[in-house]
Amino acid sequence: MLIYQRVTVSKTDKLNVWTILVLASLAWWNLCDAFFYVAQTKETAWFWHRLGAPGWCGFIAITAWYFMVMMGADQKLKAPVKLIWWIPPLFLVLRFLLASPTAFAEDLVQSASGLGWTYVQRYQTVWPFVFLAYLVLYMGGALLCLYRWQKRVQSRSRRRLAKGFIVLDSFVVALGFVSIFVLPYFTSYLPPAGCIATLIFGIWYWGWLRDYDFLHVELALNPGYLLESCIDAMVVMDEECLLLYVNTEAQKLLGADWREGAGFLEYLVPESRGQLEAFLASGSSKSAPLNLELQNGFPVLCSVSRLASRKRGLNVCILCMNEVSELKNTQRRLDYLAHYDDLTGLYNRRCLSKVLEEWADRARNGGEDFELLFLDLSGFKRINDTFGHKAGDAALVAVARAMRAAMEPADVLARLAGDEFVVLHKADGGNVEAPLYQAVQSIDSALFAPGMKMDVDIGKCLFSEAGNVETLLQLADARMYGRKQARKI
């Protein structure tokens, strides 16, 4: 989405000044929300949420005052009344800037969808009610005055502009209310969608109300300022994919050899060019997500949209690009850690639970019975205490390799925790207990713990004997513990 700055020939035009302030407050909200969603810690998320208060709190009074200026009502108010007007918004902005909780959030949690932080709203403080009263008083009052004013005004364009703002702001406020004050009360699945409401406002204004607004103020469009301050790589090109504008972040992404007027397709690998060409051929005016790869090897996640120029019916395409190689590597790494033990490469507890349920379901549905073996190392703690954690880690890796080599390919080996392991073995697959004992006892510990040996205690149970997963684990664990105690006697 192209963020633009309105510049008037008449620097003293009040309506244009307040238009810029409205857009600036919404842009600040979106900017802070972008950092809020991707914050690494709760403290950082709180910081960006509070820092956005001039946007998400201040825009209400600024927008309401913009309507007052458009109606000419500001000229009828005396200075003390104008001062009183700004005291409550200023107080609320400062309050939410400096302290938590805010009107939007009593706490912050990671959304269950994994899309970033989201609000926790339980209405246990006074601030949500204060904010809603402020919203109704300022925005609701301004829209009511605007509705009455448009009935009296003679200009058709002004009436259409007023009606458009009434519909647009009512819709956006309703959407923001639901996403910020209603949904967080019931679920934390999605992050707050307040920025989506501001995006809708911007698109609606640009696509419909802009022409009516331009009748009253002569404007020049200067995208450079905000495009250069954008944290995303932004590219503007014509429908022949020739570069018209490339901001600084995009220049870094494309490399030092980029040049204005060059074809954007030449920066893409052949496999990615088809996606962009298909969008251009579709003639669609809706934005579309694209997964592209640059010739320099960078994968980029793009949002591409087509905008009609105000002159000669020419169209331009705008690409918002994010280099996601680090994100993809991180996602792969997180996916691995979610299922595998980082030290040994075996299944971890979480993955074992999933696999164990699958084996149990097959057994219940007439499949093969299986046994679960619970293994606990003997002598590992002494190695770890005597030679340190590095030796302990080497011992666990050696044990994992030895046991894996002693098992059938279809068997499952997982590290449950510490020096505890679990084996899933088909009931008719022969005896696996003896090979496991032998595998652990035969480990040469000279490289990591000279002079020390390890052994293993094993308890096992058939699924048909236990009947369910929880009992299966409990019985195998209890039998392993019984053997360990018997060894000590």
Side-chain angles (χ1 to χ4, degrees), residues 353-401:
S353 299
K354 181 179 178 181
V355 174
L356 187 52
E357 287 292 345
E358 292 174 356
W359 282 49
D361 288 340
R362 286 199 299 267
R364 292 189 192 101
N365 295 327
E368 295 179 281
D369 195 10
F370 68 95
E371 61 181 356
L372 182 146
L373 290 82
F374 202 107
L375 300 88
D376 184 83
L377 298 180
S378 296
F380 170 76
K381 186 177 185 303
R382 193 156 57 95
I383 292 176
N384 205 50
D385 293 343
T386 304
F387 294 95
H389 293 294
K390 186 175 181 180
D393 290 346
L396 290 173
V397 172
V399 167
R401 290 175 179 172

Side-chain angles (χ1 to χ4, degrees), residues 159 301 337 343 427 445 448:
R159 286 200 302 272
L301 182 63
L337 293 178
L343 177 63
S445 60
F448 51 84

